[in-house]
């Protein structure tokens, strides 16, 4: 019986070449999930099952870059199986590596599509400030030697909020589709050695959160001014925005659906 | 000028064969610290410096087992150097691997000895309960499939508190010295999926915290009863106590001095 299975997944992206499966590597999150599901419904051998033309496709709400983490990625997959949702979850967690976890499995309606139906996403970017090294968080934060001016960063962040053409913040120079997105909130929290940036929007372009983060950090260090943001957006030129903050500081926190 | 340098150190013990340096491996915390300090005061080549008879010895407050972590290990070392404490800290953090951090360096009195002068230590043992995998904490927790009875564990913990001969909780069967120690508090906290056990005492025998933890867990699962603890202590026999909980759940949190 065909079911549309919805999954909430956490992963530590450190070892992986991103979400999307690729020809040259089996080290992708999508690839790992599909291999385990094919093994589950095919009865053991994922390769033979795939060759029979019965491979499965896991659709993720977004395609995280290499090294980016997720606390709650949403994905769905059409499966022909008699297993219950709980049996699927237990099976997957048994065979997935330690750095990928399936937290929740439910049956969705036939037309649920984790990417097309996503209404919003929350990303968090984490900086660690100081010359004491973040031993236990070292794979999940980007280290800054000196503190940026967070007040200035907040001023600049306000100017990013809204519906804009974010072409200047798009990491894909050959992007053909619309680069208009709505960012409805950017919150910047300071707590001890941490500075955490929370971005919420209806969708993000390739590297967009990391480029916004890099740009805000340049404002925090006085290399750019909050009032430069408008011209950066207007210019629609990647060269105008700041650097791309490193992947390991970024985590997809949540995907919203209606 | 000879100085007695006191250091507060954090480390992720995952990759290391424990604190104490050993003949067959350079993957010990003490070994890594000494190599960096020898490089610092010898001007580059740690091996040549050591061969000249000028090797340094870092004294730790305790010798953590392979795989055990520390948030604040205290250590001291006699160094003949003109460098300031801050210069020493910055140098060490530059050359130490990412999973070892020197958080604080101060000059101590000549007779300060991090092991002999330690008045107390706090260890934390962390369990993660549930079939959702702890993706981001996986190297720092021990996973339990089902929840133990924490009330019973607390009852049993009360009976461990006090000054006792902890021979039954000593992992070294050839221990020649006194096995009497004082444990003055054991606190067990539940928070979400976590169960955290905090142990404070004047000192702990080899594996003692891990054996106490394993014994308390067996009480939590009904394999032992809180009222068995007295007989386990009285028996002075390692066979009477519970299993040795795995290293990765254990962290040295703090060392107390007068």
């Amino acid at each position: 019986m065909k079911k549309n299975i919805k999954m909430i997944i956490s992963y530590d992206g450190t070892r992986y070449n991103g979400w999307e499966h690729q020809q040259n590597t089996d080290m992708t999150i999508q690839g790992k999930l599909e291999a385990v599901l094919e093994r589950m419904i095919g009865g053991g051998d994922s390769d033979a099952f795939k060759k029979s033309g019965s491979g499965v496709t896991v659709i993720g709400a977004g395609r995280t870059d290499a090294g980016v983490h997720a606390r709650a990625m949403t994905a769905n997959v059409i499966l022909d199986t008699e297993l219950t949702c709980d049996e699927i979850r237990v099976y997957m967690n048994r065979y997935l590596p330690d750095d990928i976890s399936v937290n929740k499995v439910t049956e969705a309606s036939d037309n649920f599509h984790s990417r097309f139906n996503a209404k919003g996403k929350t990303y968090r970017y984490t900086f660690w400030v100081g010359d004491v090294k973040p031993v236990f968080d070292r794979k999940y934060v980007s280290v800054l030697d000196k503190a940026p001016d967070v007040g200035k960063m907040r001023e600049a962040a306000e100017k990013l909020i809204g519906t804009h053409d974010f072409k200047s913040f798009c990491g894909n120079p050959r992007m053909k589709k619309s680069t208009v997105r709505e960012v409805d909130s950017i919150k910047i929290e300071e707590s001890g050695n941490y500075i955490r940036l929370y971005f919420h929007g209806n969708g993000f372009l390739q590297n967009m959160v990391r480029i916004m983060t890099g740009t805000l950090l340049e404002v925090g260090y006085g290399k750019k001014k909050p009032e430069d943001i408008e011209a950066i957006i207007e210019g629609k030129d990647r060269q105008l925005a700041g650097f791309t903050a490193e992947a390991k500081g970024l985590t997809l926190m949540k995907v919203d659906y209606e």
Side-chain angles (χ1 to χ4, degrees), chain A:
Chain A
M1 195 179 63
K2 293 226 175 183
K3 296 172 180 171
N4 189 6
I5 295 296
K6 179 181 172 186
M7 300 177 284
I8 309 288
I9 301 155
S10 295
Y11 49 87
D12 175 338
T14 309
R15 299 194 303 141
Y16 297 94
N17 298 309
W19 169 269
E20 194 170 26
H21 58 196
Q22 297 169 30
Q23 288 291 339
N24 317 327
T25 170
D26 66 346
M27 288 304 285
T28 66
I29 309 296
Q30 188 186 12
K32 289 288 178 195
L33 293 167
E34 290 175 352
V36 168
L37 288 169
E38 285 164 358
R39 176 189 169 130
M40 183 182 85
I41 62 173
D45 188 340
S46 160
D47 283 341
F49 188 72
K50 205 185 278 287
K51 274 179 200 144
S52 77
S54 312
V56 302
T57 300
V58 173
I59 299 157
R63 284 163 287 209
T64 52
D65 299 334
V68 171
H69 317 291
R71 295 233 166 219
M73 170 66 95
T74 301
N76 73 295
V77 57
I78 308 289
L79 288 182
D80 192 353
T81 179
E82 298 300 319
L83 295 173
T84 66
C85 289
D86 209 50
E87 286 167 344
I88 293 170
R89 185 177 57 78
V90 168
Y91 183 97
M92 292 185 78
N93 285 327
R94 183 177 305 141
Y95 291 106
L96 283 167
D98 270 0
D99 48 9
I100 305 177
S101 169
V102 179
N103 304 329
K104 200 172 170 187
V105 173
T106 51
E107 200 172 335
S109 63
D110 288 353
N111 56 2
F112 173 77
H113 188 286
S114 58
R115 189 158 76 250
F116 300 153
N117 295 160
K119 295 292 175 208
K121 283 180 195 144
T122 306
Y123 276 96
R124 181 183 68 188
Y125 198 94
T126 307
F127 288 112
W128 170 270
V129 186
D131 55 3
V132 169
K133 295 187 292 184
V135 163
F136 300 98
D137 280 324
R138 66 193 186 281
K139 292 176 178 169
Y140 314 122
V141 301
S142 181
V143 175
L144 304 178
D145 291 336
K146 61 191 182 91
D149 182 334
V150 172
K152 294 273 185 220
M153 291 172 72
R154 287 197 181 109
E155 270 184 65
E158 281 302 312
K159 295 175 192 296
L160 285 168
I161 290 170
T163 303
H164 303 294
D165 186 336
F166 282 99
K167 193 162 194 291
S168 296
F169 298 88
C170 179
N172 177 6
R174 293 178 302 276
M175 178 71 172
K176 294 281 194 298
K177 297 180 203 163
S178 168
T179 45
V180 174
R181 294 289 185 280
E182 184 187 4
V183 174
D184 54 31
S185 90
I186 303 176
K187 292 208 174 73
I188 307 183
E189 288 181 4
E190 291 179 277
S191 168
N193 291 84
Y194 298 95
I195 300 175
R196 298 188 184 92
L197 291 75
Y198 291 88
F199 298 86
H200 187 268
N202 66 350
F204 296 91
L205 303 164
Q206 191 178 320
N207 293 352
M208 179 171 155
V209 179
R210 293 165 57 192
I211 297 169
M212 289 194 293
T213 299
T215 305
L216 292 175
L217 189 66
E218 290 185 13
V219 171
Y221 285 147
K223 286 191 197 173
K224 288 187 165 59
K225 288 174 186 153
E227 50 270 29
D228 295 340
I229 298 293
E230 218 161 40
I232 295 171
I233 294 172
E234 291 296 319
K236 295 177 194 170
D237 176 358
R238 171 69 189 90
Q239 299 305 313
L240 298 174
F243 77 108
T244 306
E246 63 185 329
K248 69 174 183 164
L250 186 61
T251 303
L252 171 61
M253 300 300 282
K254 193 168 179 294
V255 185
D256 311 326
Y257 295 93
E258 288 218 325

